[in-house]
Coordinates of all heavy atoms in Angstrom, one line a residue:
R7 N -10.2 14.8 -2.9 CA -10.6 15.3 -4.3 C -10.3 16.7 -4.5 O -10.3 17.5 -3.4 CB -12.0 15.0 -4.5 CG -13.1 15.7 -3.7 CD -14.5 15.0 -3.9 NE -14.9 15.1 -5.3 CZ -15.8 14.3 -5.8 NH1 -16.4 13.4 -5.1 NH2 -16.1 14.4 -7.1
D8 N -10.0 17.1 -5.7 CA -9.8 18.6 -6.0 C -10.8 18.8 -7.1 O -10.5 18.5 -8.3 CB -8.4 18.8 -6.4 CG -8.1 20.3 -6.7 OD1 -9.1 21.1 -6.9 OD2 -7.0 20.6 -6.8
N9 N -12.0 19.3 -6.8 CA -13.0 19.5 -7.8 C -12.6 20.6 -8.8 O -13.1 20.6 -10.0 CB -14.3 19.8 -7.1 CG -15.0 18.7 -6.5 OD1 -14.7 17.5 -6.8 ND2 -16.0 18.9 -5.5
A10 N -11.8 21.5 -8.5 CA -11.3 22.4 -9.4 C -10.5 21.8 -10.6 O -10.4 22.3 -11.7 CB -10.4 23.5 -8.7
K11 N -9.9 20.7 -10.2 CA -9.1 19.9 -11.2 C -9.8 18.7 -11.7 O -9.2 17.9 -12.5 CB -7.7 19.5 -10.6 CG -6.8 20.6 -10.2 CD -5.5 20.2 -9.7 CE -4.6 21.3 -9.3 NZ -3.2 20.9 -8.9
N12 N -11.0 18.6 -11.2 CA -11.8 17.4 -11.7 C -11.1 16.1 -11.4 O -11.2 15.2 -12.3 CB -12.1 17.5 -13.2 CG -13.6 17.4 -13.6 OD1 -14.5 17.5 -12.7 ND2 -13.8 17.3 -14.8
T13 N -10.5 16.0 -10.3 CA -9.6 14.8 -10.0 C -9.9 14.3 -8.6 O -10.1 15.1 -7.7 CB -8.2 15.1 -10.2 OG1 -8.0 15.7 -11.6 CG2 -7.2 14.0 -10.0
V14 N -9.8 13.0 -8.5 CA -9.9 12.4 -7.1 C -8.6 11.6 -7.0 O -8.1 11.0 -7.9 CB -11.1 11.4 -7.0 CG1 -11.0 10.6 -5.7 CG2 -12.4 12.2 -7.1
Y15 N -8.0 11.6 -5.7 CA -6.7 11.0 -5.4 C -6.9 9.8 -4.4 O -7.8 9.9 -3.6 CB -5.8 12.1 -4.9 CG -5.6 13.2 -5.8 CD1 -6.3 14.4 -5.6 CD2 -4.7 13.2 -6.8 CE1 -6.1 15.6 -6.4 CE2 -4.5 14.2 -7.7 CZ -5.3 15.4 -7.4 OH -5.1 16.5 -8.2
L16 N -5.9 9.0 -4.5 CA -5.9 7.9 -3.4 C -4.4 7.9 -3.1 O -3.6 7.4 -3.8 CB -6.4 6.6 -3.9 CG -6.4 5.5 -2.8 CD1 -7.5 5.8 -1.8 CD2 -6.6 4.1 -3.4
Q17 N -4.1 8.4 -1.9 CA -2.7 8.4 -1.3 C -2.6 7.1 -0.6 O -3.4 6.8 0.3 CB -2.5 9.6 -0.4 CG -1.1 9.6 0.2 CD 0.0 9.8 -0.8 OE1 -0.1 10.6 -1.6 NE2 1.1 9.0 -0.6
M18 N -1.5 6.3 -1.0 CA -1.4 4.9 -0.4 C 0.0 4.9 0.3 O 1.0 5.0 -0.4 CB -1.5 3.9 -1.5 CG -2.8 3.9 -2.2 SD -3.0 2.6 -3.4 CE -1.7 2.8 -4.5
N19 N 0.0 4.8 1.6 CA 1.2 4.7 2.3 C 1.4 3.4 3.0 O 0.4 2.6 3.1 CB 1.3 5.8 3.5 CG 1.2 7.2 2.9 OD1 1.7 7.5 1.8 ND2 0.6 8.1 3.6
N20 N 2.6 3.0 3.4 CA 2.9 1.8 4.0 C 2.3 0.6 3.2 O 1.7 -0.2 3.8 CB 2.4 1.8 5.5 CG 2.9 0.6 6.2 OD1 3.9 0.0 5.9 ND2 2.2 0.3 7.3
L21 N 2.6 0.5 2.0 CA 2.0 -0.4 1.1 C 2.6 -1.8 1.4 O 3.7 -2.0 1.9 CB 2.3 -0.1 -0.3 CG 1.4 0.9 -0.9 CD1 2.0 1.6 -2.2 CD2 0.0 0.4 -1.3
K22 N 1.7 -2.8 1.3 CA 2.0 -4.2 1.6 C 1.8 -5.1 0.4 O 1.1 -4.7 -0.5 CB 1.0 -4.7 2.7 CG 1.0 -3.9 4.0 CD 0.0 -4.4 5.0 CE 0.0 -3.5 6.2 NZ -1.0 -4.0 7.2
P23 N 2.4 -6.2 0.3 CA 2.3 -7.1 -0.8 C 0.8 -7.4 -1.1 O 0.5 -7.5 -2.3 CB 3.1 -8.3 -0.4 CG 4.2 -7.8 0.5 CD 3.5 -6.7 1.2
E24 N 0.0 -7.5 -0.1 CA -1.4 -7.8 -0.3 C -2.2 -6.7 -0.9 O -3.4 -6.8 -1.2 CB -2.1 -8.2 1.0 CG -1.8 -7.4 2.2 CD -0.7 -7.8 3.1 OE1 0.4 -8.2 2.5 OE2 -0.9 -7.8 4.3
D25 N -1.6 -5.5 -1.1 CA -2.2 -4.4 -1.7 C -2.0 -4.5 -3.3 O -2.6 -3.7 -4.0 CB -1.7 -3.0 -1.3 CG -1.9 -2.8 0.2 OD1 -3.1 -3.0 0.6 OD2 -1.0 -2.3 0.8
T26 N -1.2 -5.5 -3.7 CA -1.1 -5.7 -5.2 C -2.4 -6.0 -5.9 O -3.1 -6.9 -5.5 CB 0.0 -6.8 -5.4 OG1 1.2 -6.4 -4.9 CG2 0.1 -7.1 -6.9
A27 N -2.7 -5.2 -6.9 CA -4.0 -5.3 -7.5 C -4.1 -4.3 -8.7 O -3.3 -3.4 -8.8 CB -5.1 -5.2 -6.6
V28 N -5.1 -4.4 -9.5 CA -5.5 -3.5 -10.4 C -6.5 -2.5 -9.7 O -7.4 -3.0 -9.2 CB -6.1 -4.0 -11.7 CG1 -6.5 -2.8 -12.6 CG2 -5.1 -4.9 -12.5
Y29 N -6.2 -1.3 -9.7 CA -7.0 -0.3 -9.0 C -7.9 0.5 -10.0 O -7.4 1.0 -11.0 CB -6.2 0.7 -8.2 CG -5.7 0.1 -6.9 CD1 -4.6 -0.9 -6.9 CD2 -6.2 0.5 -5.7 CE1 -4.1 -1.5 -5.8 CE2 -5.7 -0.1 -4.5 CZ -4.7 -1.1 -4.6 OH -4.2 -1.7 -3.4
Y30 N -9.1 0.6 -9.7 CA -10.1 1.3 -10.6 C -10.8 2.4 -9.8 O -11.1 2.2 -8.6 CB -11.2 0.3 -11.0 CG -10.7 -0.9 -11.8 CD1 -10.4 -2.1 -11.1 CD2 -10.7 -0.9 -13.2 CE1 -10.0 -3.2 -11.8 CE2 -10.2 -2.0 -13.9 CZ -9.8 -3.2 -13.2 OH -9.4 -4.3 -13.9
C31 N -11.1 3.5 -10.5 CA -12.0 4.5 -9.9 C -13.3 4.4 -10.6 O -13.3 3.9 -11.9 CB -11.4 5.9 -10.0 SG -11.2 6.6 -11.6
A32 N -14.3 4.8 -10.0 CA -15.7 4.8 -10.6 C -16.5 5.9 -10.0 O -16.3 6.3 -8.8 CB -16.3 3.4 -10.3
S33 N -17.5 6.4 -10.8 CA -18.3 7.5 -10.3 C -19.8 7.0 -10.2 O -20.2 6.2 -11.0 CB -18.2 8.7 -11.2 OG -18.7 8.3 -12.5
S34 N -20.4 7.5 -9.2 CA -21.9 7.2 -9.0 C -22.6 8.5 -8.8 O -22.2 9.4 -8.2 CB -22.0 6.4 -7.7 OG -23.3 6.2 -7.4
A35 N -23.8 8.5 -9.4 CA -24.8 9.7 -9.2 C -25.5 9.5 -7.9 O -26.2 10.5 -7.6 CB -25.8 9.6 -10.5
V36 N -25.4 8.4 -7.2 CA -26.1 8.3 -6.0 C -25.2 9.1 -4.9 O -24.0 8.9 -4.8 CB -26.1 6.8 -5.5 CG1 -26.7 6.7 -4.1 CG2 -26.9 6.1 -6.6
A37 N -25.9 9.9 -4.2 CA -25.2 10.7 -3.1 C -24.7 9.9 -2.0 O -25.3 8.8 -1.6 CB -26.2 11.8 -2.6
Y38 N -23.6 10.3 -1.4 CA -23.0 9.6 -0.2 C -23.1 10.7 0.9 O -22.4 11.7 0.8 CB -21.6 9.2 -0.6 CG -20.8 8.7 0.7 CD1 -21.5 8.0 1.8 CD2 -19.4 8.8 0.7 CE1 -20.7 7.6 2.8 CE2 -18.7 8.4 1.8 CZ -19.4 7.8 2.8 OH -18.6 7.3 3.9
V39 N -23.9 10.4 1.8 CA -24.2 11.3 3.0 C -24.1 10.5 4.2 O -25.0 9.6 4.5 CB -25.5 12.0 2.9 CG1 -25.6 13.0 4.0 CG2 -25.6 12.8 1.5
E40 N -23.2 10.7 5.0 CA -23.1 10.0 6.3 C -24.2 10.4 7.2 O -24.7 11.5 7.1 CB -21.7 10.3 7.0 CG -20.5 9.7 6.3 CD -19.2 10.0 7.0 OE1 -19.0 11.2 7.2 OE2 -18.5 9.0 7.3
P41 N -24.8 9.5 8.0 CA -24.2 8.2 8.4 C -24.6 7.1 7.4 O -24.2 5.9 7.7 CB -24.9 8.0 9.8 CG -26.1 8.6 9.7 CD -26.0 9.8 8.8
L42 N -25.3 7.3 6.3 CA -25.6 6.3 5.4 C -24.3 5.8 4.8 O -23.3 6.5 4.5 CB -26.6 6.8 4.4 CG -28.0 7.2 4.9 CD1 -28.8 7.7 3.8 CD2 -28.6 6.1 5.6
P43 N -24.3 4.5 4.3 CA -23.1 4.0 3.6 C -23.0 4.5 2.2 O -23.9 5.0 1.7 CB -23.4 2.4 3.6 CG -24.9 2.3 3.6 CD -25.3 3.5 4.5
P44 N -21.8 4.5 1.7 CA -21.6 4.9 0.3 C -22.4 4.0 -0.6 O -22.8 2.9 -0.3 CB -20.1 4.8 0.1 CG -19.7 3.8 1.1 CD -20.5 3.9 2.3
P45 N -22.5 4.4 -1.9 CA -23.3 3.6 -2.9 C -22.6 2.2 -3.0 O -21.4 2.1 -2.9 CB -23.1 4.4 -4.2 CG -22.9 5.9 -3.8 CD -22.1 5.7 -2.5

C-alpha cells in the first residue's frame, strides 16, 4: 500500500489459469494486528 496515494496494490506474478476470477478489494475498520488473523 501507498497511503500517500490512498492506494493498495496486488502484484500478481506467475499467474495460473486457476487465478482467473473477478478480483475485489474491500476495506475494514477492524484492525489487523499479527499474530491475530485479519478481519
Side-chain angles (χ1 to χ4, degrees):
R7 66 191 302 158
D8 185 342
N9 284 342
K11 295 183 178 180
N12 234 14
T13 303
V14 172
Y15 304 97
L16 186 68
Q17 177 68 43
M18 306 186 296
N19 297 329
N20 191 21
L21 283 160
K22 304 176 180 181
E24 50 264 42
D25 294 317
T26 295
V28 178
Y29 283 71
Y30 301 90
C31 67
S33 64
S34 173
V36 176
Y38 171 29
V39 181
E40 292 181 303
L42 296 176

